[in-house]
């Protein structure tokens, strides 16, 4: 699933950050040949994401390290349950422990929260999606965790899809002009999303051929009207300051997509520990 | 304050992640010469951290961009107040907006939470410190934000200070042996911290000449005893699953340091927006 | 238009390749303070692309170097006409000359060929697009040149858009299953393109909701039928071994897109020289 | 033959360019354990170059991938013949296909054209050599392909050998002064080449001790005279706008070297495909 | 012991420096399958350091290369004795020979000199330590070699420990103010070292709570007084222009630490050769 | 003179090594706006090399820093004389001081030693040249310093010139075969050097058309014979364990080149200090 050239670069940067030139304690007290076993344990309920990345941390420190994954990404685990076992050189295990857990805990935290959102709306034909409000440098891992948790991804980066906002509209002389201008310049493989704040703009966007319309910070009532106005001609995305409390009300409006920055920008790491036996 | 060689590398990596080869919308709809102004606004109360890093994002996109900082890092701001103004090429402002905010919001979120902890114990002569549970790749920024918020830093990486844990002790044949062995190998500029789980081990660590002893997951009563036993001969650090509710009780025990992973591993981004005028 | 972080990295790598540690001739024979002027001249007719990149090569060697662009990217120039003037330290001009020209000549060669294709079909509502058959490492520059020449871009990379080929179909158990399976997993901002070799598959792809169908190596007659069958419900892309001779016949079939690898994989560099005065 | 540290860096950069963070189609539709076989087929006659590099692309994606090379670099192949077989994880094969072919086709295109030139002059004791007009970033691969095709390499970079041009001569106060000045500064392992436009300059260069003289854009008659004048005392290199038509006439003049930019700057990729079975 | 992510980067950079794109001699004259054996021989007496790094050079060129280490780092060897045997592809052995030896000779030279210093003072309870006067880019290897030779390390970098010098004192308004100010800002894991030039300043530093005091360029008599004044309350470090002749006299003063830049800034490479059999 | 893309990379790597994420002392005690002046002083006699590199260290930390060079590279300075003045932000000066001096001292140490060798043989028409026994990562700076000191450079890397050694000869079936084989494969711009240990091999090398012959570890008498045998037909290079004592005797033999590894592998840093005023 992962492009390991990219992931390895992330891990190696992070190992350099955490170790720098030596693990002064471990390299002075542990023998090079010492081996150990350890258990990776959930300390709270949650959904696991990132086991392959966790394993890779140790493989990059010592390719002989074995990580025996007892569950798969996306599995629900109970507090106290064992997620994986590790076996390898003690030095590699101790040096990789903190980074491995930092990644696994963060990714599982995202998966767990995403799952909560996805579960909440499962009766509705709506998608919860993430945003570009990810941790700088870790987007690929965080967006993966969102999917593991049962939500979906929005565009990955600014190159990948068009999102016409207020400023683009103003600079282009209106929604229609913006859409026509950019349709002529972008690959035929790309969709155009337009951000609107009212029903008039929605109508204009639909007329001009938008593929997706983002309803920015709209009230529930307006969303309902938007759904009626759109009549299935565009994908409707609700966005802007959406909290968990409002999620079902928004789902009920009939919008297709709800995008939520908090899935990645305000993450509670899942409590997971590595217990060396 | 920052080593810009390091910070620039972080920012450039993140810009590549967010932009890749083009901002397909902006580069097709905004003219190269267009300029704009914008306000950076707090959308909730909090403590600001990361304004220099925020500014640097835009400078790296177009060195002519001006960011006029109206407050300093560490300032308390009210919801609705203006934090800074930006003025520059519209293309640079739009391309840097997301990354600039992602960093500023995360760092300010950390500063705000740190401040809450620091305020809670300000009557006591105890330090709240962070841990190595930081976001991989962003440690330098996150540890900076912890300090801006009024807390302190623990060691930055595994090279910088000794932390003898259970496994190191076992491999060395006891606390005393471990301390003596490593004292002989490390620079005279380094302190030795030992992690203990009971009072006996604390006594052994003090006797062997530890500089700092970490009381791992101890109950309040045991911490009190540890303080009495130590009698100022070592720095005592309380650690392990410490929540905000317990912080004052722990402070009252007389330990010198309380280390809290949540300062960086479970951050709620502060709500800050860039409003283009 | 360009993400300079990306472009600068390309240029710096290439300067290191061409110079390594010194320009043994120039650094030993030219004084550091010597300045010179030069003209960039077209030695054949063509369309210019890459002047900003050309300029950047010299700026990175010495930021004081001045490149005065007399035409814009996309301009048609005649053999013998002056494209730009350069003025700066002789050392910088001589060291950058070869790389600057290598890039400008290649990009202008692509623009010139693209223009020829675009011109040929300008009476038809068809787009000529490029492919991923670009020079490894230079895709961003080559796809830019294709657009400068009047053609369009296909997807930039494997992350950006879905292209379901024979193997994907087989592994998924048919076109419909493949489309349904992937629709559920990809961002709502993405389109799905399916590659087909016959009309039956086209029908299946349309029915299953494909956005774009690539007609792989089809005969003209089949393309015509495909256009009729599709009836505007999907974008039709003709692809596979398309030569200039057939381009008008294909355009007449009514397909929407013609993709041509030769735009970038078999480029004749435009003859351009730098004449130092 | 290759410095793999360098080649791997080229390939990894190019894989990042082509894949970015995911192959959205393959990673969503192909199982991780799926394996496949494929044939690499020549679709036109030509000389193969780059099979080791082709193989390396897939090894870097998944080191278990097997590429069974049926011919060696430098072999002449007929249209329709099988060049190699590939066997490995379907994901790795599909992700590496485009880059592997882009490199193999380009390198084989260069080898094929080089062979045509080398064959044309094989009766004469003249070498056809390349220039620095290579694709930025790929010089090492392109110069290798030139040799595979039967031609030779000129200097690799500006550090490696001296080439005194008009500007260097002017700045030094004449050919003799330039040669004497630089001879004193360069390693004794280096040769000096001087570029001249007339016979007088050739004489001056010989007298001053040049090792090689480049006859820049000279007419056939002048080349003949140059050969006579030189009398074997220097290596003579014909250069400048040399087309295939003139190659034999130039060879007949008796010059030692003919340098041709088109070997690398205007390459027609050889048609090669990967057919998954 | 080593962080191989860091060491590999150093080695790969150095291989690129030494080889660039090809070993023009070896790659043209030695067959890819040729294997050879070689002996690594000491040509003078000394202490060996760097065998693992030596081995890694060849492993990175060809992971099949075998280096059979006959001694361990820190061993004393006699001129003429065999240190290790190498066995592998001739190409890898020849390409790695120079870099492997450059590293091994330099590291062994440092270990040998360090041993001389360490031996000289072994009767005294004083440590000889290195400084930051290391070769740019090789600090991790040089500080390792210092320890192999029997001396100790000072701080690794500017992040790791506090060293308050004259300028810091002046800017802070005195020694006491500087110490108090920085104690409040640094991690509790860090020590504070202050540089002083006279006894008054030493007293002030002790009073203000310095952990280490560096006696900069003090005369022997003053060092003795400093030891008396300190009375064990701080670690005393003698520094500044210390030559081998004075080392015993300084050791006798009772200072704890003597720091010597020459351990790394003026190294005589140990004479070691690789003899291919 | 320098390729700054390369030099900057060396300096930035070294600054990261020396600073890592912060200068904990300076960043906490010195105000961002503080400025200072300093003198760079020679503490012993010697030849200066590296002033531009020294300056660049500070420019990369803060581009406003001014370094006023009072002498040029290659100047002889007396102990106590001022080499340069620095003026800039105190933070930048303190952070760059160690690296700037480490480079300047090392390069000046090399220049000083090179000068001693060059002076010794100035009556003879012989060149003293360096070898590839340079510090890994710093070759470009060290070879520059050798030239500044009045000696010359041998080949820079393995790509740049042919050096046929014993193993190459054996693998090729003799000196003549080796030379003929490689002459056919290398650029016409390259010379061929052959390493020989006796007069017979010298004769064979000359006959086969070698350009340079290295006399490896020959006795003075044999060198004299070699000069006679060669009679000016090849460049003769004396090499192998050459010490300063023997240099004049070797020069008198009439060889053209004497190569000396000690110029770079066993350097005594010149004593230079930065005195902040």
């Amino acid at each position: 699933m992962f492009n390991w050239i990219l992931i390895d670069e992330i891990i190696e940067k992070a190992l350099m950050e955490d170790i720098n030139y030596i693990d002064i304690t471990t390299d002075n007290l542990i023998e090079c040949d010492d081996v150990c076993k350890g258990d990776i344990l959930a300390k709270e309920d949650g959904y696991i994401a990132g086991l392959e990345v966790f394993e890779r941390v140790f493989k990059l420190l010592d390719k002989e390290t074995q990580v025996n994954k007892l569950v798969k990404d996306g599995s629900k685990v109970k507090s106290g349950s064992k997620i994986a076992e590790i076996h390898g050189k003690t030095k590699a295990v101790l040096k990789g422990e903190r980074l491995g857990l930092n990644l696994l805990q963060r990714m599982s935290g995202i998966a767990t929260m995403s799952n909560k959102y996805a579960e909440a709306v499962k009766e509705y034909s709506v998608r919860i999606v993430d945003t570009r409000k990810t941790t700088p440098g870790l987007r690929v891992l965080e967006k993966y965790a969102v999917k593991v948790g049962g939500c979906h991804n929005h565009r990955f980066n600014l190159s990948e899809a068009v999102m016409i906002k207020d400023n683009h509209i103003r600079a282009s002389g209106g929604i229609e002009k913006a859409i026509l201008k950019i349709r002529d310049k972008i690959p035929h493989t790309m969709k155009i999303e337009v951000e609107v704040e009212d029903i008039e703009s929605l109508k204009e966007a639909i007329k001009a051929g938008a593929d997706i319309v983002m309803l920015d910070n709209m009230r529930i009532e307006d969303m309902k009207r938007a759904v009626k106005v759109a009549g299935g001609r565009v994908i409707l995305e609700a966005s802007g300051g959406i909290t968990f409390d409002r999620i079902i009300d928004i789902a009920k409006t009939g919008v297709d997509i709800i995008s939520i920055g908090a899935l990645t920008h305000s993450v509670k790491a899942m409590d997971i520990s590595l217990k060396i036996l």
Side-chain angles (χ1 to χ4, degrees), chain A:
Chain A
M1 197 66 188
F2 289 116
N3 176 354
W4 289 108
I5 297 171
L6 174 59
I7 307 299
D8 284 0
E9 194 189 319
I10 292 171
I11 294 175
E12 291 187 354
K13 274 273 164 207
L15 284 172
M16 283 302 303
E17 178 189 68
D18 193 33
I19 300 181
N20 198 18
Y21 71 100
I22 202 175
D23 177 342
I24 191 86
T25 318
T26 299
D27 284 318
N28 280 310
L29 294 181
I30 305 291
E31 297 302 313
C32 286
D33 293 337
D34 281 4
V35 294
C36 72
K37 288 189 179 187
D39 288 344
I40 291 86
L41 302 167
K43 310 291 285 285
E44 62 178 325
D45 294 3
Y47 287 79
I48 297 301
L51 278 170
E52 274 186 295
V53 177
F54 176 84
E55 179 184 30
R56 192 78 168 193
V57 169
F58 297 95
K59 290 281 189 190
L60 289 178
L61 285 165
D62 177 2
K63 64 174 184 289
E64 307 301 333
T65 318
Q66 294 302 317
V67 174
N68 179 23
K69 286 159 274 185
L70 304 176
V71 301
K72 286 188 177 178
D73 275 8
S75 303
K76 180 171 191 172
V77 298
K78 287 282 176 192
S79 177
S81 62
K82 202 196 286 189
I83 301 165
E85 297 163 338
I86 191 167
H87 181 210
K89 295 273 170 61
T90 309
K91 282 195 171 190
V93 174
L94 290 176
K95 290 180 188 183
E97 175 184 3
R98 189 68 270 137
L99 176 60
L101 288 175
N102 281 355
L103 290 166
L104 184 62
Q105 292 183 250
R106 179 168 192 84
M107 291 172 75
S108 298
I110 291 174
T112 301
M113 178 153 49
S114 296
N115 184 268
K116 186 179 138 197
Y117 277 89
E119 277 299 302
V121 300
K122 73 179 170 189
E123 306 296 331
Y124 306 89
S125 66
V126 70
R127 277 186 174 194
I128 309 286
V129 306
D130 54 26
T131 64
R132 283 167 47 240
K133 296 181 182 178
T134 54
T135 311
L138 300 183
R139 185 170 289 168
V140 63
L141 300 179
E142 297 190 343
K143 290 210 161 218
Y144 166 83
V146 164
K147 288 189 68 179
V148 166
C151 292
H152 288 80
N153 295 151
H154 206 300
R155 64 172 173 170
F156 191 83
N157 58 36
L158 295 172
S159 287
E160 197 174 280
V162 172
M163 170 76 76
I164 301 176
K165 301 193 174 188
D166 194 42
N167 291 83
H168 303 111
I169 294 168
R170 247 189 294 165
S172 312
I175 289 176
E176 187 176 4
K177 284 186 182 160
I179 291 178
L180 294 180
K181 185 175 176 190
I182 205 162
R183 181 73 79 198
D184 191 47
K185 298 186 168 189
I186 59 172
H188 61 285
T189 54
M190 259 183 211
K191 289 186 182 172
I192 294 173
E193 178 159 1
V194 182
E195 185 181 311
V196 304
E197 292 180 4
D198 55 45
I199 301 296
E200 277 322 292
S201 301
L202 167 63
K203 288 179 182 166
E204 198 179 337
I206 294 171
K207 198 177 144 207
D211 299 294
I212 311 164
V213 178
M214 177 196 280
L215 310 173
D216 187 33
N217 275 304
M218 269 195 192
R219 290 171 310 155
I220 297 286
E221 287 317 300
D222 290 333
M223 289 189 201
K224 284 183 187 163
R225 246 190 93 205
V227 172
K228 223 171 276 175
V229 164
R233 287 173 296 169
V234 292
I235 297 171
L236 286 181
E237 175 183 337
S239 183
I242 292 169
T243 53
F244 188 71
D245 323 335
R246 299 174 63 215
I247 207 83
I248 291 179
D249 285 346
I250 296 173
K252 285 180 177 166
T253 63
V255 295
D256 306 288
I257 308 284
I258 306 172
S259 57
I260 298 177
L263 289 185
T264 53
H265 75 52
S266 293
V267 178
K268 202 197 135 300
M270 182 175 163
D271 196 359
I272 300 173
S273 73
L274 191 164
K275 174 85 191 161
I276 298 180
L277 306 175

